Amino acid sequence: MVNPEQRSQGRKTVAEAKALTPRAADFSAWYNELVARAELADYSPVRGCMVIRPNGYAIWEQMQRALDQMFKDTGHQNAYFPLFIPQSFLAREAEHVEGFSPETAVVTHAGGKELEEPLVIRPTSETIIYSMYAKWIQSYRDLPVLINQWANVVRWELRTRLFLRTTEFLWQEGHTAHATEAEAEEETVRMLRVYRTFMEEWMAMPVLTGRKTDSERFAGALRTYSCEALMQDNRALQAGTSHNLGQNFARAFEVTFQTAAGGLDHVWNTSWGVSTRLVGALIMTHGDDAGLICPPRLAQYQVVIVPIYRNDDERGTVLDAAQRVRGELSGAGVRVHLDARDGMKPGAKYYEWEGRGAPLRLEIGPRDVAGGTVMLARRTGGKKESLPLAGLASRIHEIMEVMQRDLLETARARREAASIRGATREQFVAHLEAGGGFVYAGFCGSAACEAEIKEQTKATIRVLPDQEFRSPSVPATCMWCGKPTVAEAVWARAY
RNA sequence: CGGGGUGUGGCGCAGUCCGGUAGCGCGCCUGCUUUGGGAGCAGGAGGUCCCGGGUUCGAAUCCCGGCGCCCCGACCA
């Protein structure tokens, strides 16, 4: 017996059978299918954990490379602190322990015995790092301390999504110590700017920067700043944070130093981090219904060469030519891959590399070999074009630069189209109902008002925007309660 | 933890109502023919039907009890 569903399934075209769920139909299904299709990550046997597969890890490695250089350029060194933290350390800073206790994993047994003091698996490393800084810092001459670490952290999350929120994730956490509050603030803002630069110039992802309200502040920080991006489903994603920790941890861990004047003072700390969540941000910023679109600067392979041939003769000459092109591009600093798999039709390779987000594809067949040309296809669309072999590498570099810029501008235009400014309460609610996006409006500064808005609309204040993102004019009253505005705020429903 | 859904080859699903020993699409393997946008034909591999009990001559299917996962709510990079 064949029921109607089965028959219609049997009639599906190949394209239908293999297509991702379109973003417009179900954004979250699209995201999950894309991650699987592009082989970026897979679910692990442990709930909430993920395996980052080579294609996904390659993107993270590119991110790491770029960020690491930026950290070094701003005077930071890398170090490594241990995974295990004595449980009592977390408890030393009141707000911090309250913030993280519910989501820590704790080791109580090891070596076949119960431990005298349980060990927390780091959810973040402030406590272990500042306990060490207490040993290393004696004098103002030892300051500033500018250290970063690349590490894994564990937070026992209830609801997880690959890359966006997993129980264990990879990140970097910078931890600095300074002699004055002003210096710490300067560092906090400097690193926020580094993140913004990275997100715009490498990820081609536009972000708003600004300060978090107290309710969204990092547990234990004086002030938290963040970079906020808007995904294609018009939900906001916190992409990076930078905290001015003040002297909170310095007091808890007695990180003191002798001042030039001979006095004793606590240091001023900062911490800042971005995580593998950025891979999720990249997917949801640029991906389309065909799959991932990776900006050239972060792509594992910027150019993929697909050879086309009909018989062994052609195969020989075409592969020969393809290898020469690969050599030339590679020599010119282009990350290039020749897909020489036999027995797979060119079209199938096109779809596969499009799904994986490769920015550029070169097709080389007998006609191209004869004419001394290659056929170029861009992942971002448009007609294929025939390019002469002469000067190919520099042409490819130009095209990648244009593509990198266009991706950023397209994303920025999309974000702006989904943003409204100077909103009233009615416009705020209507905008969220209509699909969402960023809403700029007047805010009275009251935590109670903020909480009520969150409860009733699910929208949170993403940031109190930095100067350059503020609106030319801001309503004089809070869009929700009508009391006088103390700051402009940007709301959105968020991941 | 509350509400809803779901568990069947690697992936997506049908079969469950009405019990008879498992099927479809994609993927995978071998061979031949193919290759400028997801190849065709032929042959083949692969399943504790989530787990444990029960009912029955017989259970993917019915009953009881667990567990996992997904979605929606309270927390979060």
Side-chain angles (χ1 to χ4, degrees), chain A residues 208 412 415-424 427-428 431 437-442 465-475 479 488-491:
Chain A
L208 302 181
R412 202 194 301 276
R415 179 190 70 187
E416 288 309 305
S419 301
I420 58 170
R421 290 176 186 265
T424 62
Q427 289 167 335
F428 173 88
H431 191 66
F438 285 133
V439 180
Y440 295 68
D466 286 337
Q467 183 62 53
E468 56 203 303
F469 295 103
R470 284 179 210 154
S471 307
S473 72
V474 180
M479 67 87 187
E488 183 179 34
V490 181
W491 279 268

PDB file of all heavy atoms in Angstrom, chain A residues 208 412 415-424 427-428 431 437-442 465-475 479 488-491:
ATOM      1  N   LEU A 208      26.081  47.167  17.040  1.00  0.00           N
ATOM      2  CA  LEU A 208      25.913  48.344  17.877  1.00  0.00           C
ATOM      3  C   LEU A 208      26.788  48.119  19.095  1.00  0.00           C
ATOM      4  O   LEU A 208      26.891  46.998  19.582  1.00  0.00           O
ATOM      5  CB  LEU A 208      24.474  48.464  18.382  1.00  0.00           C
ATOM      6  CG  LEU A 208      23.335  48.539  17.397  1.00  0.00           C
ATOM      7  CD1 LEU A 208      22.022  48.685  18.178  1.00  0.00           C
ATOM      8  CD2 LEU A 208      23.531  49.710  16.465  1.00  0.00           C
ATOM      9  N   ARG A 412      24.253  45.638   7.029  1.00  0.00           N
ATOM     10  CA  ARG A 412      23.945  46.891   7.701  1.00  0.00           C
ATOM     11  C   ARG A 412      22.611  47.450   7.212  1.00  0.00           C
ATOM     12  O   ARG A 412      21.779  47.901   8.007  1.00  0.00           O
ATOM     13  CB  ARG A 412      25.063  47.916   7.448  1.00  0.00           C
ATOM     14  CG  ARG A 412      25.109  49.018   8.509  1.00  0.00           C
ATOM     15  CD  ARG A 412      25.954  50.198   8.088  1.00  0.00           C
ATOM     16  NE  ARG A 412      27.331  49.857   7.791  1.00  0.00           N
ATOM     17  CZ  ARG A 412      28.302  49.743   8.708  1.00  0.00           C
ATOM     18  NH1 ARG A 412      28.019  49.920   9.973  1.00  0.00           N
ATOM     19  NH2 ARG A 412      29.529  49.432   8.350  1.00  0.00           N
ATOM     20  N   ARG A 415      19.833  45.505   8.758  1.00  0.00           N
ATOM     21  CA  ARG A 415      19.630  45.880  10.154  1.00  0.00           C
ATOM     22  C   ARG A 415      18.896  47.219  10.251  1.00  0.00           C
ATOM     23  O   ARG A 415      17.949  47.364  11.029  1.00  0.00           O
ATOM     24  CB  ARG A 415      20.977  46.007  10.872  1.00  0.00           C
ATOM     25  CG  ARG A 415      20.824  46.406  12.325  1.00  0.00           C
ATOM     26  CD  ARG A 415      22.147  46.776  12.960  1.00  0.00           C
ATOM     27  NE  ARG A 415      22.665  48.027  12.424  1.00  0.00           N
ATOM     28  CZ  ARG A 415      23.871  48.516  12.710  1.00  0.00           C
ATOM     29  NH1 ARG A 415      24.691  47.840  13.483  1.00  0.00           N
ATOM     30  NH2 ARG A 415      24.271  49.660  12.191  1.00  0.00           N
ATOM     31  N   GLU A 416      19.331  48.187   9.447  1.00  0.00           N
ATOM     32  CA  GLU A 416      18.713  49.517   9.522  1.00  0.00           C
ATOM     33  C   GLU A 416      17.251  49.464   9.099  1.00  0.00           C
ATOM     34  O   GLU A 416      16.410  50.159   9.650  1.00  0.00           O
ATOM     35  CB  GLU A 416      19.504  50.520   8.681  1.00  0.00           C
ATOM     36  CG  GLU A 416      20.855  50.882   9.313  1.00  0.00           C
ATOM     37  CD  GLU A 416      20.725  51.310  10.781  1.00  0.00           C
ATOM     38  OE1 GLU A 416      19.955  52.245  11.066  1.00  0.00           O
ATOM     39  OE2 GLU A 416      21.383  50.677  11.639  1.00  0.00           O
ATOM     40  N   ALA A 417      16.971  48.620   8.098  1.00  0.00           N
ATOM     41  CA  ALA A 417      15.586  48.499   7.632  1.00  0.00           C
ATOM     42  C   ALA A 417      14.696  47.904   8.721  1.00  0.00           C
ATOM     43  O   ALA A 417      13.486  48.107   8.734  1.00  0.00           O
ATOM     44  CB  ALA A 417      15.530  47.629   6.373  1.00  0.00           C
ATOM     45  N   ALA A 418      15.313  47.163   9.642  1.00  0.00           N
ATOM     46  CA  ALA A 418      14.535  46.516  10.702  1.00  0.00           C
ATOM     47  C   ALA A 418      14.579  47.317  11.997  1.00  0.00           C
ATOM     48  O   ALA A 418      14.113  46.850  13.029  1.00  0.00           O
ATOM     49  CB  ALA A 418      15.056  45.096  10.933  1.00  0.00           C
ATOM     50  N   SER A 419      15.145  48.521  11.958  1.00  0.00           N
ATOM     51  CA  SER A 419      15.272  49.332  13.169  1.00  0.00           C
ATOM     52  C   SER A 419      14.354  50.537  13.103  1.00  0.00           C
ATOM     53  O   SER A 419      14.161  51.113  12.036  1.00  0.00           O
ATOM     54  CB  SER A 419      16.716  49.836  13.320  1.00  0.00           C
ATOM     55  OG  SER A 419      17.620  48.756  13.381  1.00  0.00           O
ATOM     56  N   ILE A 420      13.793  50.894  14.250  1.00  0.00           N
ATOM     57  CA  ILE A 420      13.036  52.139  14.293  1.00  0.00           C
ATOM     58  C   ILE A 420      13.566  53.011  15.434  1.00  0.00           C
ATOM     59  O   ILE A 420      14.071  52.497  16.439  1.00  0.00           O
ATOM     60  CB  ILE A 420      11.510  51.923  14.477  1.00  0.00           C
ATOM     61  CG1 ILE A 420      11.226  51.140  15.766  1.00  0.00           C
ATOM     62  CG2 ILE A 420      10.918  51.208  13.285  1.00  0.00           C
ATOM     63  CD1 ILE A 420       9.738  51.107  16.127  1.00  0.00           C
ATOM     64  N   ARG A 421      13.480  54.310  15.239  1.00  0.00           N
ATOM     65  CA  ARG A 421      14.018  55.243  16.241  1.00  0.00           C
ATOM     66  C   ARG A 421      12.915  56.132  16.789  1.00  0.00           C
ATOM     67  O   ARG A 421      11.910  56.366  16.127  1.00  0.00           O
ATOM     68  CB  ARG A 421      15.128  56.107  15.612  1.00  0.00           C
ATOM     69  CG  ARG A 421      16.383  55.294  15.311  1.00  0.00           C
ATOM     70  CD  ARG A 421      17.430  56.135  14.599  1.00  0.00           C
ATOM     71  NE  ARG A 421      18.572  55.315  14.182  1.00  0.00           N
ATOM     72  CZ  ARG A 421      19.693  55.176  14.900  1.00  0.00           C
ATOM     73  NH1 ARG A 421      19.835  55.819  16.047  1.00  0.00           N
ATOM     74  NH2 ARG A 421      20.667  54.410  14.455  1.00  0.00           N
ATOM     75  N   GLY A 422      13.151  56.584  17.995  1.00  0.00           N
ATOM     76  CA  GLY A 422      12.218  57.518  18.621  1.00  0.00           C
ATOM     77  C   GLY A 422      10.837  56.907  18.828  1.00  0.00           C
ATOM     78  O   GLY A 422       9.820  57.601  18.740  1.00  0.00           O
ATOM     79  N   ALA A 423      10.802  55.613  19.115  1.00  0.00           N
ATOM     80  CA  ALA A 423       9.532  54.903  19.166  1.00  0.00           C
ATOM     81  C   ALA A 423       8.686  55.306  20.377  1.00  0.00           C
ATOM     82  O   ALA A 423       9.210  55.592  21.452  1.00  0.00           O
ATOM     83  CB  ALA A 423       9.775  53.403  19.205  1.00  0.00           C
ATOM     84  N   THR A 424       7.375  55.295  20.161  1.00  0.00           N
ATOM     85  CA  THR A 424       6.430  55.418  21.270  1.00  0.00           C
ATOM     86  C   THR A 424       6.144  54.000  21.753  1.00  0.00           C
ATOM     87  O   THR A 424       6.534  53.026  21.108  1.00  0.00           O
ATOM     88  CB  THR A 424       5.102  56.029  20.797  1.00  0.00           C
ATOM     89  OG1 THR A 424       4.531  55.131  19.832  1.00  0.00           O
ATOM     90  CG2 THR A 424       5.312  57.397  20.176  1.00  0.00           C
ATOM     91  N   GLN A 427       4.303  52.134  19.048  1.00  0.00           N
ATOM     92  CA  GLN A 427       5.159  51.758  17.927  1.00  0.00           C
ATOM     93  C   GLN A 427       6.106  50.622  18.323  1.00  0.00           C
ATOM     94  O   GLN A 427       6.392  49.734  17.524  1.00  0.00           O
ATOM     95  CB  GLN A 427       5.982  52.979  17.464  1.00  0.00           C
ATOM     96  CG  GLN A 427       5.129  54.033  16.771  1.00  0.00           C
ATOM     97  CD  GLN A 427       5.866  55.357  16.598  1.00  0.00           C
ATOM     98  OE1 GLN A 427       6.787  55.667  17.364  1.00  0.00           O
ATOM     99  NE2 GLN A 427       5.482  56.122  15.596  1.00  0.00           N
ATOM    100  N   PHE A 428       6.566  50.684  19.563  1.00  0.00           N
ATOM    101  CA  PHE A 428       7.451  49.654  20.102  1.00  0.00           C
ATOM    102  C   PHE A 428       6.772  48.285  20.031  1.00  0.00           C
ATOM    103  O   PHE A 428       7.299  47.324  19.472  1.00  0.00           O
ATOM    104  CB  PHE A 428       7.786  50.024  21.550  1.00  0.00           C
ATOM    105  CG  PHE A 428       8.565  48.998  22.324  1.00  0.00           C
ATOM    106  CD1 PHE A 428       9.954  48.998  22.295  1.00  0.00           C
ATOM    107  CD2 PHE A 428       7.928  48.045  23.104  1.00  0.00           C
ATOM    108  CE1 PHE A 428      10.678  48.070  23.035  1.00  0.00           C
ATOM    109  CE2 PHE A 428       8.639  47.111  23.835  1.00  0.00           C
ATOM    110  CZ  PHE A 428      10.028  47.125  23.797  1.00  0.00           C
ATOM    111  N   HIS A 431       6.079  47.201  16.444  1.00  0.00           N
ATOM    112  CA  HIS A 431       7.291  46.776  15.733  1.00  0.00           C
ATOM    113  C   HIS A 431       7.681  45.353  16.112  1.00  0.00           C
ATOM    114  O   HIS A 431       8.064  44.554  15.253  1.00  0.00           O
ATOM    115  CB  HIS A 431       8.440  47.743  16.051  1.00  0.00           C
ATOM    116  CG  HIS A 431       9.637  47.551  15.165  1.00  0.00           C
ATOM    117  ND1 HIS A 431       9.613  47.799  13.812  1.00  0.00           N
ATOM    118  CD2 HIS A 431      10.901  47.133  15.435  1.00  0.00           C
ATOM    119  CE1 HIS A 431      10.802  47.531  13.284  1.00  0.00           C
ATOM    120  NE2 HIS A 431      11.609  47.122  14.248  1.00  0.00           N
ATOM    121  N   GLY A 437      13.220  43.606  15.493  1.00  0.00           N
ATOM    122  CA  GLY A 437      14.372  44.384  15.086  1.00  0.00           C
ATOM    123  C   GLY A 437      14.748  45.288  16.237  1.00  0.00           C
ATOM    124  O   GLY A 437      14.201  45.148  17.342  1.00  0.00           O
ATOM    125  N   PHE A 438      15.666  46.193  15.997  1.00  0.00           N
ATOM    126  CA  PHE A 438      16.067  47.119  17.054  1.00  0.00           C
ATOM    127  C   PHE A 438      15.064  48.253  17.185  1.00  0.00           C
ATOM    128  O   PHE A 438      14.621  48.815  16.178  1.00  0.00           O
ATOM    129  CB  PHE A 438      17.447  47.708  16.752  1.00  0.00           C
ATOM    130  CG  PHE A 438      18.589  46.743  16.993  1.00  0.00           C
ATOM    131  CD1 PHE A 438      19.599  46.591  16.046  1.00  0.00           C
ATOM    132  CD2 PHE A 438      18.669  46.004  18.171  1.00  0.00           C
ATOM    133  CE1 PHE A 438      20.670  45.724  16.261  1.00  0.00           C
ATOM    134  CE2 PHE A 438      19.731  45.126  18.398  1.00  0.00           C
ATOM    135  CZ  PHE A 438      20.732  44.986  17.447  1.00  0.00           C
ATOM    136  N   VAL A 439      14.737  48.560  18.422  1.00  0.00           N
ATOM    137  CA  VAL A 439      13.872  49.713  18.678  1.00  0.00           C
ATOM    138  C   VAL A 439      14.634  50.690  19.565  1.00  0.00           C
ATOM    139  O   VAL A 439      15.023  50.355  20.691  1.00  0.00           O
ATOM    140  CB  VAL A 439      12.565  49.310  19.388  1.00  0.00           C
ATOM    141  CG1 VAL A 439      11.704  50.536  19.630  1.00  0.00           C
ATOM    142  CG2 VAL A 439      11.810  48.271  18.582  1.00  0.00           C
ATOM    143  N   TYR A 440      14.852  51.903  19.047  1.00  0.00           N
ATOM    144  CA  TYR A 440      15.499  52.960  19.816  1.00  0.00           C
ATOM    145  C   TYR A 440      14.399  53.807  20.435  1.00  0.00           C
ATOM    146  O   TYR A 440      13.459  54.193  19.731  1.00  0.00           O
ATOM    147  CB  TYR A 440      16.331  53.869  18.917  1.00  0.00           C
ATOM    148  CG  TYR A 440      17.528  53.231  18.246  1.00  0.00           C
ATOM    149  CD1 TYR A 440      17.368  52.265  17.252  1.00  0.00           C
ATOM    150  CD2 TYR A 440      18.818  53.638  18.575  1.00  0.00           C
ATOM    151  CE1 TYR A 440      18.473  51.709  16.623  1.00  0.00           C
ATOM    152  CE2 TYR A 440      19.928  53.085  17.944  1.00  0.00           C
ATOM    153  CZ  TYR A 440      19.749  52.117  16.971  1.00  0.00           C
ATOM    154  OH  TYR A 440      20.840  51.582  16.342  1.00  0.00           O
ATOM    155  N   ALA A 441      14.537  54.062  21.719  1.00  0.00           N
ATOM    156  CA  ALA A 441      13.501  54.884  22.353  1.00  0.00           C
ATOM    157  C   ALA A 441      14.019  55.480  23.650  1.00  0.00           C
ATOM    158  O   ALA A 441      15.107  55.119  24.118  1.00  0.00           O
ATOM    159  CB  ALA A 441      12.259  54.034  22.621  1.00  0.00           C
ATOM    160  N   GLY A 442      13.236  56.371  24.219  1.00  0.00           N
ATOM    161  CA  GLY A 442      13.598  56.982  25.487  1.00  0.00           C
ATOM    162  C   GLY A 442      13.403  56.000  26.630  1.00  0.00           C
ATOM    163  O   GLY A 442      12.484  55.177  26.597  1.00  0.00           O
ATOM    164  N   PRO A 465      23.121  52.861  23.868  1.00  0.00           N
ATOM    165  CA  PRO A 465      24.108  52.950  22.790  1.00  0.00           C
ATOM    166  C   PRO A 465      25.204  53.992  23.025  1.00  0.00           C
ATOM    167  O   PRO A 465      24.962  55.030  23.646  1.00  0.00           O
ATOM    168  CB  PRO A 465      23.255  53.303  21.566  1.00  0.00           C
ATOM    169  CG  PRO A 465      22.015  53.910  22.112  1.00  0.00           C
ATOM    170  CD  PRO A 465      21.770  53.252  23.430  1.00  0.00           C
ATOM    171  N   ASP A 466      26.384  53.675  22.504  1.00  0.00           N
ATOM    172  CA  ASP A 466      27.483  54.633  22.499  1.00  0.00           C
ATOM    173  C   ASP A 466      27.111  55.814  21.614  1.00  0.00           C
ATOM    174  O   ASP A 466      26.266  55.699  20.726  1.00  0.00           O
ATOM    175  CB  ASP A 466      28.757  53.963  21.956  1.00  0.00           C
ATOM    176  CG  ASP A 466      29.358  52.997  22.978  1.00  0.00           C
ATOM    177  OD1 ASP A 466      29.082  53.161  24.182  1.00  0.00           O
ATOM    178  OD2 ASP A 466      30.090  52.086  22.560  1.00  0.00           O
ATOM    179  N   GLN A 467      27.795  56.924  21.846  1.00  0.00           N
ATOM    180  CA  GLN A 467      27.526  58.181  21.154  1.00  0.00           C
ATOM    181  C   GLN A 467      27.257  58.012  19.651  1.00  0.00           C
ATOM    182  O   GLN A 467      26.253  58.469  19.132  1.00  0.00           O
ATOM    183  CB  GLN A 467      28.709  59.134  21.361  1.00  0.00           C
ATOM    184  CG  GLN A 467      28.521  60.509  20.746  1.00  0.00           C
ATOM    185  CD  GLN A 467      27.342  61.265  21.362  1.00  0.00           C
ATOM    186  OE1 GLN A 467      27.258  61.418  22.586  1.00  0.00           O
ATOM    187  NE2 GLN A 467      26.414  61.720  20.519  1.00  0.00           N
ATOM    188  N   GLU A 468      28.136  57.300  18.979  1.00  0.00           N
ATOM    189  CA  GLU A 468      28.026  57.225  17.517  1.00  0.00           C
ATOM    190  C   GLU A 468      26.807  56.466  17.024  1.00  0.00           C
ATOM    191  O   GLU A 468      26.478  56.535  15.842  1.00  0.00           O
ATOM    192  CB  GLU A 468      29.287  56.601  16.946  1.00  0.00           C
ATOM    193  CG  GLU A 468      29.573  55.252  17.547  1.00  0.00           C
ATOM    194  CD  GLU A 468      31.049  54.884  17.436  1.00  0.00           C
ATOM    195  OE1 GLU A 468      31.565  54.873  16.309  1.00  0.00           O
ATOM    196  OE2 GLU A 468      31.666  54.635  18.493  1.00  0.00           O
ATOM    197  N   PHE A 469      26.138  55.738  17.933  1.00  0.00           N
ATOM    198  CA  PHE A 469      24.949  55.000  17.510  1.00  0.00           C
ATOM    199  C   PHE A 469      23.662  55.682  17.968  1.00  0.00           C
ATOM    200  O   PHE A 469      22.571  55.231  17.652  1.00  0.00           O
ATOM    201  CB  PHE A 469      24.991  53.568  18.045  1.00  0.00           C
ATOM    202  CG  PHE A 469      26.114  52.757  17.469  1.00  0.00           C
ATOM    203  CD1 PHE A 469      27.258  52.513  18.198  1.00  0.00           C
ATOM    204  CD2 PHE A 469      26.038  52.277  16.167  1.00  0.00           C
ATOM    205  CE1 PHE A 469      28.306  51.781  17.656  1.00  0.00           C
ATOM    206  CE2 PHE A 469      27.079  51.550  15.609  1.00  0.00           C
ATOM    207  CZ  PHE A 469      28.218  51.299  16.357  1.00  0.00           C
ATOM    208  N   ARG A 470      23.820  56.767  18.732  1.00  0.00           N
ATOM    209  CA  ARG A 470      22.614  57.416  19.257  1.00  0.00           C
ATOM    210  C   ARG A 470      21.859  58.162  18.173  1.00  0.00           C
ATOM    211  O   ARG A 470      22.450  58.623  17.192  1.00  0.00           O
ATOM    212  CB  ARG A 470      22.987  58.387  20.392  1.00  0.00           C
ATOM    213  CG  ARG A 470      23.306  57.643  21.682  1.00  0.00           C
ATOM    214  CD  ARG A 470      23.704  58.571  22.802  1.00  0.00           C
ATOM    215  NE  ARG A 470      24.631  57.858  23.690  1.00  0.00           N
ATOM    216  CZ  ARG A 470      25.546  58.429  24.454  1.00  0.00           C
ATOM    217  NH1 ARG A 470      25.676  59.750  24.469  1.00  0.00           N
ATOM    218  NH2 ARG A 470      26.338  57.690  25.196  1.00  0.00           N
ATOM    219  N   SER A 471      20.567  58.290  18.385  1.00  0.00           N
ATOM    220  CA  SER A 471      19.731  58.997  17.434  1.00  0.00           C
ATOM    221  C   SER A 471      19.971  60.491  17.537  1.00  0.00           C
ATOM    222  O   SER A 471      20.337  60.985  18.607  1.00  0.00           O
ATOM    223  CB  SER A 471      18.262  58.697  17.715  1.00  0.00           C
ATOM    224  OG  SER A 471      18.057  57.301  17.765  1.00  0.00           O
ATOM    225  N   PRO A 472      19.733  61.200  16.436  1.00  0.00           N
ATOM    226  CA  PRO A 472      19.935  62.655  16.433  1.00  0.00           C
ATOM    227  C   PRO A 472      19.092  63.329  17.511  1.00  0.00           C
ATOM    228  O   PRO A 472      19.529  64.264  18.165  1.00  0.00           O
ATOM    229  CB  PRO A 472      19.470  63.087  15.043  1.00  0.00           C
ATOM    230  CG  PRO A 472      19.484  61.849  14.214  1.00  0.00           C
ATOM    231  CD  PRO A 472      19.312  60.691  15.137  1.00  0.00           C
ATOM    232  N   SER A 473      17.883  62.811  17.687  1.00  0.00           N
ATOM    233  CA  SER A 473      17.068  63.358  18.771  1.00  0.00           C
ATOM    234  C   SER A 473      16.361  62.207  19.470  1.00  0.00           C
ATOM    235  O   SER A 473      15.953  61.240  18.823  1.00  0.00           O
ATOM    236  CB  SER A 473      16.050  64.362  18.219  1.00  0.00           C
ATOM    237  OG  SER A 473      15.052  63.685  17.511  1.00  0.00           O
ATOM    238  N   VAL A 474      16.264  62.340  20.776  1.00  0.00           N
ATOM    239  CA  VAL A 474      15.671  61.274  21.578  1.00  0.00           C
ATOM    240  C   VAL A 474      14.448  61.826  22.300  1.00  0.00           C
ATOM    241  O   VAL A 474      14.496  62.936  22.829  1.00  0.00           O
ATOM    242  CB  VAL A 474      16.688  60.768  22.618  1.00  0.00           C
ATOM    243  CG1 VAL A 474      16.087  59.650  23.457  1.00  0.00           C
ATOM    244  CG2 VAL A 474      17.951  60.282  21.922  1.00  0.00           C
ATOM    245  N   PRO A 475      13.357  61.081  22.289  1.00  0.00           N
ATOM    246  CA  PRO A 475      12.158  61.545  22.991  1.00  0.00           C
ATOM    247  C   PRO A 475      12.483  61.908  24.448  1.00  0.00           C
ATOM    248  O   PRO A 475      13.316  61.241  25.074  1.00  0.00           O
ATOM    249  CB  PRO A 475      11.217  60.349  22.926  1.00  0.00           C
ATOM    250  CG  PRO A 475      11.659  59.595  21.719  1.00  0.00           C
ATOM    251  CD  PRO A 475      13.132  59.783  21.637  1.00  0.00           C
ATOM    252  N   MET A 479       9.522  55.656  26.782  1.00  0.00           N
ATOM    253  CA  MET A 479       8.480  55.183  25.871  1.00  0.00           C
ATOM    254  C   MET A 479       7.468  54.296  26.583  1.00  0.00           C
ATOM    255  O   MET A 479       6.353  54.137  26.108  1.00  0.00           O
ATOM    256  CB  MET A 479       9.100  54.453  24.670  1.00  0.00           C
ATOM    257  CG  MET A 479       9.793  53.160  24.975  1.00  0.00           C
ATOM    258  SD  MET A 479       8.710  51.745  24.956  1.00  0.00           S
ATOM    259  CE  MET A 479       9.810  50.484  25.568  1.00  0.00           C
ATOM    260  N   GLU A 488      18.913  57.132  25.998  1.00  0.00           N
ATOM    261  CA  GLU A 488      18.290  56.392  24.912  1.00  0.00           C
ATOM    262  C   GLU A 488      18.661  54.921  25.096  1.00  0.00           C
ATOM    263  O   GLU A 488      19.787  54.614  25.492  1.00  0.00           O
ATOM    264  CB  GLU A 488      18.797  56.879  23.553  1.00  0.00           C
ATOM    265  CG  GLU A 488      18.105  56.175  22.391  1.00  0.00           C
ATOM    266  CD  GLU A 488      18.581  56.677  21.025  1.00  0.00           C
ATOM    267  OE1 GLU A 488      19.768  57.022  20.908  1.00  0.00           O
ATOM    268  OE2 GLU A 488      17.759  56.712  20.092  1.00  0.00           O
ATOM    269  N   ALA A 489      17.725  54.029  24.828  1.00  0.00           N
ATOM    270  CA  ALA A 489      18.011  52.599  24.930  1.00  0.00           C
ATOM    271  C   ALA A 489      17.619  51.925  23.632  1.00  0.00           C
ATOM    272  O   ALA A 489      16.779  52.429  22.889  1.00  0.00           O
ATOM    273  CB  ALA A 489      17.247  51.978  26.098  1.00  0.00           C
ATOM    274  N   VAL A 490      18.254  50.776  23.380  1.00  0.00           N
ATOM    275  CA  VAL A 490      17.913  49.991  22.204  1.00  0.00           C
ATOM    276  C   VAL A 490      17.369  48.645  22.673  1.00  0.00           C
ATOM    277  O   VAL A 490      18.061  47.902  23.362  1.00  0.00           O
ATOM    278  CB  VAL A 490      19.144  49.733  21.304  1.00  0.00           C
ATOM    279  CG1 VAL A 490      18.738  48.922  20.072  1.00  0.00           C
ATOM    280  CG2 VAL A 490      19.786  51.044  20.898  1.00  0.00           C
ATOM    281  N   TRP A 491      16.126  48.383  22.313  1.00  0.00           N
ATOM    282  CA  TRP A 491      15.487  47.125  22.701  1.00  0.00           C
ATOM    283  C   TRP A 491      15.434  46.141  21.538  1.00  0.00           C
ATOM    284  O   TRP A 491      15.429  46.542  20.378  1.00  0.00           O
ATOM    285  CB  TRP A 491      14.036  47.369  23.135  1.00  0.00           C
ATOM    286  CG  TRP A 491      13.822  47.847  24.522  1.00  0.00           C
ATOM    287  CD1 TRP A 491      13.594  47.081  25.634  1.00  0.00           C
ATOM    288  CD2 TRP A 491      13.760  49.213  24.965  1.00  0.00           C
ATOM    289  NE1 TRP A 491      13.398  47.892  26.729  1.00  0.00           N
ATOM    290  CE2 TRP A 491      13.496  49.195  26.350  1.00  0.00           C
ATOM    291  CE3 TRP A 491      13.903  50.440  24.322  1.00  0.00           C
ATOM    292  CZ2 TRP A 491      13.373  50.360  27.109  1.00  0.00           C
ATOM    293  CZ3 TRP A 491      13.788  51.603  25.063  1.00  0.00           C
ATOM    294  CH2 TRP A 491      13.525  51.552  26.455  1.00  0.00           C
TER     295      TRP A 491
END
